Amino acid sequence: MRRFGLGMVTTREPCQGKDGGTRQMGDSSKILKVIEGGRLVAITFVMDYVQLQFDDGLLTLFTWPTVKIGSVTFKWKDIGFRDALCELITHEVVSTSVREHDAVKISFDNLAAVDVSLKEADYRCPEALTFRHSSGFWVL
């Protein structure tokens, strides 16, 4: 899979052509808006990535996220990181943002936030994250 620039988000819709239905979308800042107002309902820790399941979408993070609660920031290998992330389950997403070549930010109703870096140096594989929703599949 090839990494796409933030202004060129790929969607793959099932049953659309031999290439998997790939098409380009122009405004990546709106992709995560569908989870706003919904809750984080589950977290799955896999060997080298983490998945965040929302009421209306699945976010798979290949770049390690950070969790910010007030003035405290938890990084992937910090003691308490997993607990801090799991504390967000059942909390409502109040806003999302995608800042080109910087970060994706998901803010919650308890004033906590999850940030995923989009900086070249932080990528561990060709994608920083994928987002699956009923309207498509996006890769950043």
Side-chain angles (χ1 to χ4, degrees):
M1 206 175 271
R2 184 177 139 236
R3 182 167 5 146
F4 293 90
L6 213 41
M8 298 170 47
V9 179
T10 301
T11 66
R12 292 191 185 110
E13 297 174 359
C15 304
Q16 266 197 340
K18 293 180 181 179
D19 67 348
T22 301
R23 62 184 165 91
Q24 300 298 320
M25 300 212 30
D27 190 357
S28 58
S29 65
K30 295 180 182 177
I31 292 168
L32 295 177
K33 296 295 181 192
V34 297
I35 65 172
E36 291 179 4
R39 299 167 300 151
L40 177 62
V41 296
I43 298 171
T44 304
F45 294 95
V46 184
M47 187 168 61
D48 57 355
Y49 62 93
V50 63
Q51 292 182 312
L52 307 181
Q53 176 69 54
F54 296 91
D55 283 327
D56 202 15
L58 177 67
L59 189 63
T60 301
L61 309 176
F62 301 104
T63 297
W64 300 133
T66 59
V67 178
K68 295 180 182 177
I69 301 175
S71 62
V72 180
T73 299
F74 295 92
K75 295 181 179 178
W76 182 255
K77 291 195 176 190
D78 291 347
I79 293 173
F81 168 82
R82 289 166 185 79
D83 292 332
L85 189 57
C86 288
E87 281 294 320
L88 300 177
I89 295 173
T90 73
H91 283 279
E92 184 179 320
V93 175
V94 294
S95 69
T96 59
S97 66
V98 179
R99 296 180 310 273
E100 187 171 350
H101 304 295
D102 185 27
V104 168
K105 182 175 187 173
I106 302 168
S107 299
F108 292 86
D109 62 356
N110 63 345
L111 306 179
V114 173
D115 289 331
V116 182
S117 176
L118 297 176
K119 295 176 181 171
E120 186 77 28
D122 295 330
Y123 276 76
R124 298 176 35 249
C125 65
E127 307 84 29
L129 60 91
T130 62
F131 180 63
R132 182 175 302 278
H133 179 262
S134 59
S135 64
F137 180 78
W138 291 269
V139 176
L140 291 173

